[in-house]
Amino acid sequence: MADYFVHESSYIDEDVTIGSGTKIWHFSHVQKGSQIGENCSLGQNVNVSNNVKIGNGVKIQNNVSVYEGVVLEDYVFCGPSCVFTNDLTPRSKYPKGSVGYKKTLIKYGASIGANATIVCGHTVGRWAMIASGAVVTKDVPDYALMAGVPARQVGWVCECGMPLKDGLKCKVCGREYVLMDGKLEEK
Ligand SMILES: [Zn+2]
């Protein structure tokens, strides 16, 4: 049996996989068919919907719903009360069902700020940083710093999280990057 923690106030449905070292705190609900990796942390009032896949080392702060169609790769950070969606044109009278859901992919190491919204059908690149309250309405490049409504790229961020302000060498950790055809890559 995997060595993970679930607070007694939370519900884990059947057919769920949870990795070792993962902690699921108060008043959360992990729904059927979902997979959560190792060493994750799910805060208070987190909902993981049916068939959602979450990688290793993912941190989800309080009040986040990860809806069906969303994939969180390893080391993704979801800030408090950030919002995912899975239907661009919802109608109560004409429900699409799960086959109509649009996919959202949050890639390795990316961070989503508090109260930011990721509109469905988009990919957030590796190590990208979404500012608090931003509304993402298009694909986000790797290492991009996105802010505003709708979110626009306002810079680049290092893998360590520091914005790359003057040049492409991080003043905190020393990592260096190169820009090739509009894409940032580590040197
Ligand atoms: Zn750095």
Side-chain angles (χ1 to χ4, degrees):
M1 192 180 150
D3 174 22
Y4 59 83
F5 169 81
V6 178
H7 188 264
E8 61 182 348
S9 62
S10 289
Y11 290 92
I12 310 296
D13 290 355
E14 59 207 36
D15 292 329
V16 166
T17 308
I18 300 173
S20 295
T22 286
K23 294 183 169 69
I24 297 171
W25 297 100
H26 302 56
F27 314 121
S28 291
H29 182 195
V30 179
Q31 292 183 230
K32 193 177 174 186
S34 57
Q35 297 174 52
I36 299 173
E38 297 178 357
N39 300 312
C40 294
S41 168
L42 276 62
Q44 184 165 303
N45 190 32
V46 170
N47 171 235
V48 177
S49 291
N50 295 326
N51 309 313
V52 163
K53 191 158 184 276
I54 293 174
N56 299 318
V58 171
K59 289 192 168 64
I60 305 177
Q61 305 296 91
N62 296 351
N63 309 313
V64 176
S65 291
V66 186
Y67 294 117
E68 186 164 7
V70 176
V71 174
L72 307 179
E73 290 188 351
D74 296 348
Y75 297 103
V76 163
F77 177 91
C78 297
S81 302
C82 74
V83 174
F84 295 101
T85 65
N86 62 10
D87 189 340
L88 267 184
T89 54
R91 290 292 198 205
S92 291
K93 194 174 176 183
Y94 303 103
K96 296 178 181 70
S98 59
V99 289
Y101 294 155
K102 291 223 181 299
K103 307 275 185 255
T104 298
L105 174 61
I106 313 297
K107 288 185 152 180
Y108 190 105
S111 298
I112 300 167
N115 207 39
T117 298
I118 312 297
V119 174
C120 58
H122 299 109
T123 295
V124 173
R126 290 164 59 95
W127 302 111
M129 180 83 71
I130 312 300
S132 306
V135 176
V136 170
T137 59
K138 58 184 183 183
D139 289 344
V140 173
D142 294 352
Y143 301 103
L145 174 59
M146 306 290 290
V149 181
R152 297 186 197 288
Q153 188 177 354
V154 296
W156 300 103
V157 276
C158 181
E159 179 173 323
C160 78
M162 276 305 290
L164 297 164
K165 279 181 177 157
D166 308 302
L168 297 177
K169 181 173 180 178
C170 180
K171 290 189 171 56
V172 173
C173 72
R175 283 184 180 87
E176 287 188 74
Y177 297 86
V178 283
L179 199 50
M180 301 229 292
D181 301 325
K183 291 182 178 174
L184 199 73
E185 290 171 22
E186 195 173 350
K187 216 173 191 176

